[in-house]
Amino acid sequence: IEPEQRKWRRTAEIASELMSRQDNDGRPDRDGAIRALESFHQHLRSVTVRDPSCGSGNLLIVAYNALKDLEDEVIAALHSLGINKYHYYQNASLIGIDQFSGVEIAPHAAAIADLVMNIGQLQRHFRIHGKIIPKQPILGTSDKKHIEIADAVLAYDYIDEKTKQYINPRAATVWTPATYYLFNPPYI
């Protein structure tokens, strides 16, 4: 998430510069600063993260929380410019778990990772909004599974039980495009 943090620091500097400039009437360029911050927030909403060996989803939820922390900073900066942050949280398109995905070969671990992502989103909601119930239910409402059950390295038709050989081995095709890929040494 460090590259996004660097982009955020630069955006915050730009917003600050816009607020220190004055327009023809001697007022700071508040609208320009808000546009810069909202543009960066929209950029964050386009960031995708994929973990090709996600296990129970720990790195994914850590990345989700790091990106959400950055989003909270952006919303706080907007609030300092007069934007109602509670209205913004309720009406803006926010970072969501749909931006995070993983691949896991073990079906039980994949199920846990998917649940961890959903619970993480719910916990984040209550941390921000207290006891306010989400506008729409989070758990069990999406057909989208965030975790794909597959081998991220090797695809094959089946394993011959007698010889224990992979039949028709080939490179895995689960490497869908993402802004960032998470890797957990020593599995590289």
Side-chain angles (χ1 to χ4, degrees):
I1 304 300
E2 284 182 30
E4 300 307 325
Q5 291 169 331
R6 283 192 299 275
K7 291 174 193 172
W8 164 238
R9 284 191 296 273
R10 180 64 190 131
T11 300
E13 288 171 8
I14 290 169
S16 179
E17 289 169 12
L18 288 168
M19 288 301 291
S20 66
R21 290 185 196 159
Q22 295 185 352
D23 64 13
N24 295 336
D25 296 328
R27 292 183 303 234
D29 187 1
R30 179 180 171 273
D31 291 341
I34 289 171
R35 279 193 303 277
L37 296 172
E38 286 181 336
S39 176
F40 180 74
H41 184 249
Q42 188 60 36
H43 159 74
L44 285 180
R45 186 64 182 97
S46 72
V47 169
T48 55
V49 177
R50 189 156 172 87
D51 185 343
S53 181
C54 71
S56 60
N58 186 56
L59 287 179
L60 283 169
I61 200 66
V62 167
Y64 169 77
N65 281 317
L67 212 56
K68 290 295 283 184
D69 288 345
L70 200 51
E71 178 180 60
D72 290 344
E73 288 183 43
V74 174
I75 293 171
L78 285 162
H79 182 70
S80 74
L81 296 177
I83 301 296
N84 182 316
K85 69 180 177 181
Y86 298 106
H87 178 76
Y88 199 84
Y89 275 116
Q90 291 297 316
N91 297 299
S93 177
L94 302 175
I95 291 169
I97 60 172
D98 57 315
Q99 294 171 241
F100 298 80
S101 63
V103 179
E104 176 52 48
I105 196 168
H108 65 283
I112 291 169
D114 202 56
L115 184 62
V116 162
M117 292 302 297
N118 282 289
I119 290 172
Q121 183 176 20
L122 194 56
Q123 286 175 326
R124 189 70 186 216
H125 170 86
F126 287 121
R127 193 173 311 137
I128 297 295
H129 302 288
K131 294 182 179 181
I132 297 172
I133 302 298
K135 286 191 290 188
Q136 54 184 315
I138 291 176
L139 295 175
T141 59
S142 173
D143 291 336
K144 181 180 192 271
K145 292 292 181 193
H146 302 99
I147 311 302
E148 181 179 347
I149 300 171
D151 186 324
V153 177
L154 182 66
Y156 50 90
D157 292 340
Y158 62 95
I159 299 173
D160 183 303
E161 292 302 320
K162 288 183 182 177
T163 64
K164 303 294 183 201
Q165 290 184 334
Y166 294 100
I167 305 304
N168 192 19
R170 57 201 175 275
T173 58
V174 296
W175 291 86
T176 57
T179 310
Y180 299 103
Y181 292 93
L182 304 175
F183 295 98
N184 186 9
Y187 305 111
I188 296 177

